[in-house]
């Protein structure tokens, strides 16, 4: 059967609310009549030119008889809401599974190019770090001097400590080598094949020998901080699929936001670079969305090379996602808002390499540009504290 005229389909299913928003874009030929049929497992669109059917994932079932809120929105198309039955996915994001990785040897890879950073490291202890204010809490609750004062938590050789957006790993001298043209005290480079003694220097950049991407920072002569967005940790004896860069960054950030919001009841985040500058302000709205999208032909959509793995022509896609509001803070934008959030104890800061902050900003902007027009902005936030000038709603692909 021939395909119907190009029509964009966007479906957001909220698992907790058991509801769905369906947006059917206008056909390329605006004067064309279209019959729309919704079944529990599929959407069918018929025009004189042919028929297009889109199947939903197995865990999603719509209730056609519950259709309500039907309206036509100029520039967007047809909007309607339905009751949905969706299983809540518990699949973890493929980044680092402490329970399984601690059982055998692991290899650390540069996520950008696949270079081996640390080979065959056996992790006997994989432990979460306490919150950033744990020292202050000890001072408040203890009746004796703080026994941990001026004693930072550093991992031993077979330890891996997990922070909000980073891993702390103990260095071993047989895993490091400087690039000949760079001073090791300034920019040490990583390789698993040769040897050298790293000079102690706090907060020194660590870059990948092959692609020169910043991977982390040295915290002491024995400890390195790897950023989660730059490193993959995989069992040494297993093969693993290559994850596109933009998909990996989205997955890591989405997991960080979900875990922090659950553990600390915070929903506002300041994304900062390793240089201390704020790049993005994020407000987490929900983390239970399943987004299904059919772009029809996306040739008319301008793509960034970084994101071409997410949007492919003539394809349909479904992914778990978190929904956030965001505001960019580069080039002195939103300075007053940044200052206000910096002084708000309910705002949590996440530190990433500055280049990754710019990558994330590009991903947010691109994801926002692909949403239906009416879902790109949310202008009803006047009642919220520290309200955004022009809030932007986007989705971060989770897994």
């Amino acid at each position: 059967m021939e395909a119907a005229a190009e029509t964009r389909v966007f479906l957001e299913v909220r698992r907790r609310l058991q509801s769905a928003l369906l947006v059917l874009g206008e056909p390329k030929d605006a004067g064309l009549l279209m019959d729309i049929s919704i079944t529990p497992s599929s959407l069918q669109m018929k025009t004189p030119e042919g028929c297009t059917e889109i199947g939903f994932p197995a865990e999603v079932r719509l209730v056609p008889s519950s259709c309500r809120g039907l309206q036509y929105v100029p520039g967007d198309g047809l909007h309607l809401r339905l009751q949905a039955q969706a299983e809540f996915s518990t699949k973890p994001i493929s980044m680092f599974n402490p329970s399984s990785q601690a059982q055998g040897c692991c290899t650390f890879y540069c996520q950008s190019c696949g270079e081996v950073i640390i080979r065959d490291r056996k992790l006997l202890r994989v432990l979460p770090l306490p919150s950033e204010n744990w020292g202050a809490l000890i001072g408040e609750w203890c009746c004796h001097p703080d026994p941990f004062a001026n004693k930072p938590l550093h991992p031993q050789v077979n330890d891996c400590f997990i922070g909000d957006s980073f891993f702390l790993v103990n260095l071993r001298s047989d895993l490091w080598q400087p690039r000949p043209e760079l001073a090791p005290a300034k920019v040490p480079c990583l390789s698993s094949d040769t040897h050298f003694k790293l000079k102690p220097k706090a907060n020194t950049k660590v870059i990948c020998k092959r692609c020169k991407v910043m991977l982390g920072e040295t915290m002491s002569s024995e400890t390195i901080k790897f950023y989660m967005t730059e490193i993959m940790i995989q069992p040494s004896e297993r093969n693993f699929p290559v994850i596109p860069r933009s998909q990996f960054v989205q997955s890591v950030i989405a997991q960080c936001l979900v875990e922090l919001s659950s553990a600390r009841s915070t929903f506002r985040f300041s994304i900062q670079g390793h240089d201390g500058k704020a790049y993005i302000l994020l407000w987490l709205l929900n983390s239970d969305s399943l987004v299904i999208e059919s772009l029809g032909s996306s040739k008319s959509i301008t793509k960034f090379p970084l994101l071409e793995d997410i949007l492919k022509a003539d394809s349909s896609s479904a992914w778990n996602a978190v929904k956030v509001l965001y505001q960019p803070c580069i080039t002195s934008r939103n300075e007053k808002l940044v200052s206000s959030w910096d002084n708000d104890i309910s705002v949590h800061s996440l530190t990433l390499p500055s280049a990754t902050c710019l990558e994330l900003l590009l991903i947010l902007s691109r994801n926002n540009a692909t949403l239906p027009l009416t879902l790109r902005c949310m202008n009803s936030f006047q009642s919220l504290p520290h309200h955004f000038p022009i809030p932007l709603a986007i989705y971060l692909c989770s897994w």
Side-chain angles (χ1 to χ4, degrees), residues 17-197:
L17 300 180
Q18 296 287 287
S19 67
L21 169 65
L22 177 62
V23 179
L24 300 175
E26 297 179 351
K28 189 174 182 181
D29 186 350
L32 207 60
L33 295 177
M34 178 182 294
D35 289 332
I36 301 170
S37 299
I38 300 176
T39 70
S41 60
S42 66
L43 169 67
Q44 191 177 79
M45 296 169 288
K46 294 181 180 179
T47 70
E49 294 183 354
C51 176
T52 297
E53 185 171 3
I54 299 175
F56 304 138
E59 68 270 20
V60 175
R61 287 293 181 268
L62 300 183
V63 182
S65 60
S66 66
C67 176
R68 65 188 187 279
L70 182 64
Q71 61 175 331
Y72 172 77
V73 179
D76 245 10
L78 197 64
H79 286 231
L80 62 150
R81 293 187 177 274
L82 305 98
Q83 183 179 346
Q85 300 170 352
E87 299 176 6
F88 200 91
S89 174
T90 57
K91 178 182 176 183
I93 298 172
S94 178
M95 181 181 60
F96 181 48
N97 188 340
S99 61
S100 62
Q101 255 68 303
Q103 303 302 317
C105 291
C106 299
T107 297
F108 290 57
Y109 299 89
C110 170
Q111 199 282 324
S112 296
C113 69
E115 172 79 351
V116 174
I117 306 304
I118 300 178
R119 189 188 301 275
D120 297 337
R121 173 66 66 88
K122 187 172 182 61
L123 299 177
L124 300 179
R125 296 194 306 170
V126 180
L127 304 172
L129 287 169
S131 66
E132 58 187 8
N133 298 318
W134 69 278
L137 292 176
I138 291 179
E140 292 290 334
W141 287 95
C142 289
C143 59
H144 51 76
D146 183 1
F148 302 104
N150 301 318
K151 294 182 180 179
L153 297 177
H154 286 166
Q156 300 301 312
V157 173
N158 297 114
D159 293 345
C160 179
F161 293 170
I162 303 178
D164 293 340
S165 60
F166 59 87
F167 306 115
L168 287 185
V169 180
N170 188 278
L171 300 179
R172 293 196 301 192
S173 60
D174 60 340
L175 297 175
W176 298 81
Q177 141 177 322
R179 289 185 59 86
E181 68 273 15
L182 297 176
K186 291 184 178 180
V187 189
C189 297
L190 297 164
S191 172
S192 60
D193 302 322
T194 50
H195 313 267
F196 113 100
K197 182 71 174 178

Side-chain angles (χ1 to χ4, degrees), residues 13 20 38 77 104 124 143 197 242 245 264 327 338 350 383:
V13 179
I38 300 176
L124 300 179
C143 59
K197 182 71 174 178
V242 176
R245 174 65 181 166
R264 305 186 184 181
Q327 279 293 327
V338 171
L350 285 177
S383 61

Side-chain angles (χ1 to χ4, degrees), residues 341-392:
W341 281 41
D342 284 344
N343 296 322
D344 193 327
I345 60 173
S346 67
V347 176
H348 190 81
S349 297
L350 285 177
T351 302
L352 303 172
S354 298
T356 302
C357 294
L358 295 176
E359 279 186 70
L360 178 59
L361 185 57
L362 180 60
I363 291 170
L364 294 170
S365 177
R366 187 65 185 89
N367 287 3
N368 179 262
T370 62
L371 289 174
L373 290 173
T374 54
L375 301 183
R376 297 180 190 178
C377 297
M378 299 183 69
N379 296 318
S380 58
F381 273 64
Q382 283 75 18
S383 61
L384 290 178
H386 312 301
H387 35 75
F388 288 75
I390 308 177
L392 303 174

Side-chain angles (χ1 to χ4, degrees), residues 164-299:
D164 293 340
S165 60
F166 59 87
F167 306 115
L168 287 185
V169 180
N170 188 278
L171 300 179
R172 293 196 301 192
S173 60
D174 60 340
L175 297 175
W176 298 81
Q177 141 177 322
R179 289 185 59 86
E181 68 273 15
L182 297 176
K186 291 184 178 180
V187 189
C189 297
L190 297 164
S191 172
S192 60
D193 302 322
T194 50
H195 313 267
F196 113 100
K197 182 71 174 178
L198 182 67
K199 294 182 180 180
K201 182 177 167 79
N203 300 323
T204 300
K205 288 184 182 180
V206 176
I207 67 173
C208 175
K209 179 181 178 181
R210 179 189 292 176
C211 67
K212 302 180 178 62
V213 164
M214 179 180 175
L215 302 175
E217 302 174 75
T218 57
M219 307 304 293
S220 73
S221 60
E222 297 182 348
T223 303
I224 185 171
K225 175 170 72 174
F226 284 122
Y227 290 108
M228 291 181 179
T229 53
E230 316 307 318
I231 289 289
M232 290 189 300
I233 307 176
Q234 299 290 338
S236 297
E237 69 279 2
R238 299 181 191 173
N239 294 324
F240 59 92
V242 176
I243 303 175
R245 174 65 181 166
S246 59
Q247 182 180 341
F248 183 82
V249 171
Q250 290 187 78
S251 295
V252 172
I253 298 301
Q255 180 179 359
C256 288
L257 298 183
V258 171
E259 290 183 351
L260 288 171
S261 65
S262 175
R264 305 186 184 181
S265 298
T266 182
F267 303 96
R268 290 186 293 162
F269 302 88
S270 175
I271 308 299
Q272 299 181 352
H274 69 277
D275 54 7
K277 297 179 181 178
Y279 283 77
I280 311 167
L281 301 179
L282 290 178
W283 194 318
L284 177 64
L285 296 181
N286 66 269
S287 58
D288 65 337
S289 290
L290 174 68
V291 177
I292 303 168
E293 187 169 19
S294 174
L295 296 177
S297 175
S298 59
K299 295 178 182 178

